[in-house]
Amino acid sequence: MHIEEITNKIHSMSLEEKVGQLNQAGLWDFELLCEEVRKGRVGSVILADSATAGNDEQQRVIIDQLNELQRIAVEESPVHIPLIFGRDVIHGYRTVLPVPLALAASFNPDAVEKAYRAVAREAANDGVHWTFSPMIDIARDPRWGRCIEGFGEDPYLTSKMGQAVIHGFQGEDNKKADSVAACAKHYLGYGAAEGGRDYNKAEISDYTLRNYYLKPFKAAVDAGTATVMNSFSEISGQPVASSRYLLHDILKDELGFKGFIISDWGSIEQLVYEGVAKDRKEAAALSANAELDMDMISKCYIDYMSKLVAEGKVSEEIIDKMVYRILYIKEKFGLLNNPYITHRQINYSEHFEITKQCADETVTLLKNEGILPLNTSKRIALIGPFLHEKRSLLGSWTLDADIDMVQSVAEAFADRVPDKDTLIFSQGDYLWDDILSELHNVDTVLVVLGESAKVTGENNCLANIELPQEQLELAKKMKRLGKKVIGVLCFGRPIALEKAEPYFDAILYAWHSGTYAAQSIADIVYGKVNPSGKLPMSFPRATGQIPIYYNYHAMPRNGMGYYGEGSNYLDCRSTPMYPFGYGMSYTKFAYSEARCEKAALT
Ligand code: GLC
């Protein structure tokens, strides 16, 4: 089918058949789902087992199931329109990239685009037509666990990274078998949730909305994102899922978005819980009149839309526009002509190089008192909770990760040192005194710390983001023993390091850097890779400084410049511990005669 035929197709469809295209169903009851598809009541299937797919173990994709569902849709349903299968492929598939916030630290959109091309090849090969990525929510609050899924505090960096991900997933030719439709999310202002508490409301002026939070979405539309996902947010008193101003007037009319909007999980029905709809039927009317095109999971559209049209509460013209957008994307990504999956063998090692490069370029050197890089002949001790960890190195939102591809930090170091007696490994996670009798043989200790992936991501927010006390105590103990302490910090989010910093002679911020994180850490410690990561979010000195971000508006008193310095707390400096864009390398730089090519900038 071609674009001009879509309109004719829509005119040939009954209202029920049209409404079926607006419904995205779940996959947990396969037989029931087959029946719903057969009746033409499903336009899309989300390949997820739960509402927080980033936190819970998820069933792997079963290709035969997807092809059977597609066969029913094409051959047995009334409209014969193929389904579009969506899944959260956020920063990797079998091979996992660093979490997006870490990827932003590379400041290398070209590498990120190339890396996401590899991700798309792996995901499309398993039948994923559509991913719910990139997340391009501006975030200024590291208490918010989902800051790891976005690209930080800066609209420009986030825009460039979001475009790179979209181009990576969608490829040059959207109809190719390894192209995956992207989804820019969560529109809009999700990262401004009060108190860094997920799902919380946000007060955002139109000025701030347009100059910060909206800019990455404009970039995503300009990059041709196939879809956009609304946020759960309530912005300045109105939930986004019911806002025609945001979803239609700005996104579709002003920005010219041509794809379709998918609701976030159940967010149409949630208008009832937020008190703006008296029941699910009214919720369906509010979202449809805001032109939110497809309903993820809540079934409000499939349950009530025909009645709403019959009662004149929603016009069939709006339904036609919503269906057109969905069929337009299905056609654009080749689904209407090639609906079935042909699985091929993929050699995942082909993706090693670009994935490792991303990890190399995201790890950020925050402190180095002349101790790094180390020589592989130097005897060191290695201790800490992340020394033998594998799963959390991958980060949150890794539904399909192949954990067998992951090395621990201990294994990566052992691989790089010719003489095995050079390294003394503590065997425990928190245990370290198992090597106390050998510590007198070394003057340097590598302390590998971090946070579990399970305290990052959706609805995983922290009220305190200082280095965990028991981990600080570990560093202090090593200092008391007179050791040089190299801290390797494997955290997904920025943490507040002012109290901990004095106990480290070097700090390597390793984030949650994916399948090859451990190899990158070891290669940087031993100088095979020169660290180049730069911070995409400001690191506060203390939790109490949040929100803290570099692009502050000048404050009223004269001289309050950098980060609003001068407007101080009595018990803490107003500047960050480490500012946006900060990151060291082993290279020495000299700057001279800096000049701007323009005499004035608007
Ligand atoms: C979740 C998330 C969203 C995700 C969707 C599908 O609630 O907010 O980012 O893509 O549901 O799993």
Side-chain angles (χ1 to χ4, degrees):
M1 189 189 307
H2 297 294
I3 298 287
E4 55 282 352
E5 296 169 74
I6 289 178
T7 306
N8 300 333
K9 176 74 179 178
I10 291 170
H11 289 157
S12 71
M13 290 162 71
S14 70
L15 177 59
E16 284 68 21
E17 290 164 352
K18 293 174 188 175
V19 173
Q21 289 299 306
L22 311 182
N23 181 38
Q24 182 182 65
L27 185 53
W28 31 83
D29 182 333
F30 183 69
E31 292 312 319
L32 175 64
L33 178 57
C34 288
E35 269 319 292
E36 288 287 277
V37 172
R38 190 167 283 114
K39 293 172 186 169
R41 290 167 48 88
V42 181
S44 170
V45 178
I46 176 172
L47 307 178
D49 308 336
S50 62
T52 50
N55 303 335
D56 317 319
E57 288 308 311
Q58 297 289 307
Q59 173 184 298
R60 293 294 319 283
V61 171
I62 302 172
I63 293 170
D64 291 347
Q65 271 193 348
L66 302 192
N67 276 333
E68 173 56 10
L69 285 165
Q70 200 67 294
R71 185 198 63 75
I72 294 170
V74 169
E75 297 178 9
E76 299 180 19
S77 79
V79 289
H80 311 295
I81 296 175
L83 302 164
I84 183 167
F85 298 120
R87 188 169 175 88
D88 291 289
V89 182
I90 306 304
H91 57 103
Y93 193 68
R94 303 295 281 157
T95 309
V96 175
L97 302 175
V99 293
L101 184 59
L103 282 173
S106 70
F107 279 70
N108 187 346
D110 292 343
V112 169
E113 178 176 343
K114 190 177 172 189
Y116 271 89
R117 226 22 336 262
V119 173
R121 276 194 291 272
E122 293 186 9
N125 191 45
D126 269 9
V128 178
H129 299 137
W130 173 29
T131 178
F132 305 124
S133 174
M135 198 263 235
I136 51 176
D137 300 306
I138 295 297
R140 300 165 164 174
D141 192 331
R143 293 170 297 181
W144 186 51
R146 300 202 76 168
C147 69
I148 64 114
E149 298 175 47
F151 300 100
E153 67 195 44
D154 181 60
Y156 181 75
L157 177 60
T158 298
S159 298
K160 289 298 179 187
M161 287 292 163
Q163 291 184 324
V165 173
I166 290 162
H167 291 147
F169 270 125
Q170 299 190 165
E172 293 292 318
D173 175 358
N174 298 158
K175 285 189 169 43
K176 280 188 67 179
D178 66 0
S179 292
V180 176
C183 180
K185 70 183 188 182
H186 306 78
Y187 182 84
L188 183 61
Y190 189 19
E194 277 185 359
R197 292 169 58 201
D198 208 359
Y199 312 131
N200 203 358
K201 69 184 182 70
E203 290 298 336
I204 311 177
S205 69
D206 210 50
Y207 171 86
T208 300
L209 200 72
R210 288 175 175 279
N211 284 284
Y212 292 89
Y213 296 95
L214 185 64
K215 286 200 180 289
F217 285 93
K218 178 180 181 338
V221 170
D222 294 347
T225 184
T227 64
V228 168
M229 183 186 290
N230 73 284
S231 72
F232 292 122
S233 312
E234 175 203 290
I235 291 185
S236 306
Q238 178 161 17
V240 172
S242 64
S243 170
R244 184 173 176 81
Y245 170 63
L246 291 174
L247 297 177
H248 175 269
D249 300 353
I250 293 184
L251 181 59
K252 292 181 177 178
D253 268 2
E254 202 176 304
L255 299 189
F257 173 55
K258 297 285 181 276
F260 70 86
I261 304 170
I262 175 76
S263 77
D264 200 342
W265 188 285
S267 59
I268 294 175
E269 178 174 67
Q270 288 163 10
L271 294 174
V272 178
Y273 316 145
E274 292 169 293
V276 295
K278 69 177 183 298
D279 54 26
R280 294 174 65 248
K281 182 178 178 184
E282 186 178 19
L286 284 170
S287 290
N289 286 317
E291 297 195 28
L292 199 172
D293 303 300
M294 185 181 277
D295 173 10
M296 182 190 285
I297 289 301
S298 88
K299 297 184 72 178
C300 291
Y301 280 4
I302 196 72
D303 288 350
Y304 297 103
M305 200 62 82
S306 298
K307 291 190 192 88
L308 288 166
V309 172
E311 294 166 8
K313 291 175 180 164
V314 175
S315 73
E316 188 154 2
E317 183 202 355
I318 275 194
I319 304 294
D320 289 353
K321 286 163 71 179
M322 294 156 78
V323 175
Y324 181 89
R325 285 173 176 266
I326 292 166
L327 298 191
Y328 168 73
I329 292 300
K330 288 186 176 182
E331 193 283 334
K332 191 164 188 274
F333 282 80
L335 261 179
L336 302 187
N337 297 319
N338 298 296
Y340 298 105
I341 305 150
T342 309
H343 182 75
R344 304 178 320 284
Q345 283 310 315
I346 283 187
N347 178 357
Y348 294 116
S349 61
E350 289 170 11
H351 302 151
F352 167 80
E353 189 177 336
I354 185 57
T355 306
K356 171 70 164 49
Q357 177 190 338
C358 286
D360 290 346
E361 295 185 8
T362 62
V363 177
T364 310
L365 181 62
L366 297 180
K367 181 178 183 180
N368 186 17
E369 301 290 296
I371 186 171
L372 290 177
L374 297 181
N375 187 303
T376 53
S377 62
K378 179 174 181 56
R379 277 175 70 79
I380 61 172
L382 299 94
I383 65 172
F386 258 68
L387 179 59
H388 304 288
E389 174 61 28
K390 292 189 177 184
R391 179 63 195 78
S392 279
L393 289 177
L394 296 172
S396 182
W397 289 100
T398 52
L399 289 60
D400 298 289
D402 182 349
I403 192 72
D404 295 336
M405 293 162 69
V406 181
Q407 272 196 325
S408 68
V409 171
E411 289 167 344
F413 273 78
D415 275 359
R416 282 158 179 74
V417 171
D419 172 2
K420 296 309 169 202
D421 294 335
T422 310
L423 303 176
I424 303 169
F425 292 114
S426 161
Q427 291 314 312
D429 291 346
Y430 274 100
L431 191 71
W432 65 274
D433 52 6
D434 57 336
I435 58 170
L436 192 53
S437 61
E438 301 170 75
L439 273 186
H440 62 277
N441 291 328
V442 295
D443 64 4
T444 301
V445 180
L446 194 92
V447 187
V448 191
L449 309 171
E451 67 184 343
S452 164
K454 288 194 173 295
V455 299
T456 68
E458 185 167 358
N459 205 16
N460 290 329
C461 303
L462 297 177
N464 298 292
I465 58 157
E466 279 71 15
L467 186 72
Q469 192 55 37
E470 67 279 11
Q471 298 190 19
L472 178 56
E473 287 309 314
L474 205 47
K476 285 180 173 180
K477 279 194 178 85
M478 294 305 110
K479 221 53 192 140
R480 276 204 297 278
L481 290 171
K483 305 302 175 188
K484 292 281 186 189
V485 182
I486 299 166
V488 176
L489 306 185
C490 304
F491 290 82
R493 58 163 55 81
I495 64 170
L497 283 167
E498 183 166 72
K499 287 181 184 152
E501 187 269 350
Y503 297 99
F504 295 103
D505 299 280
I507 298 175
L508 202 53
Y509 214 75
W511 307 96
H512 287 158
S513 288
T515 300
Y516 304 116
Q519 290 91 320
S520 290
I521 292 164
D523 284 343
I524 288 171
V525 168
Y526 285 128
K528 186 177 174 196
V529 169
N530 187 6
S532 58
K534 303 284 180 256
L535 297 179
M537 272 181 87
S538 305
F539 276 46
R541 297 172 184 277
T543 302
Q545 281 186 285
I546 293 168
I548 184 166
Y549 49 96
Y550 86 94
N551 37 13
Y552 249 83
H553 273 199
M555 291 192 176
R557 298 284 192 183
N558 188 22
M560 287 183 175
Y562 186 60
Y563 278 90
E565 190 160 23
S567 160
N568 294 318
Y569 302 99
L570 293 179
D571 59 348
C572 180
R573 292 167 59 186
S574 65
T575 52
M577 185 70 201
Y578 301 107
F580 175 85
Y582 180 86
M584 300 170 68
S585 84
Y586 297 147
T587 310
K588 295 281 179 271
F589 293 94
Y591 295 99
S592 64
E593 292 134 41
R595 60 185 174 283
C596 187
E597 67 265 14
K598 290 181 183 172
L601 296 171
T602 53

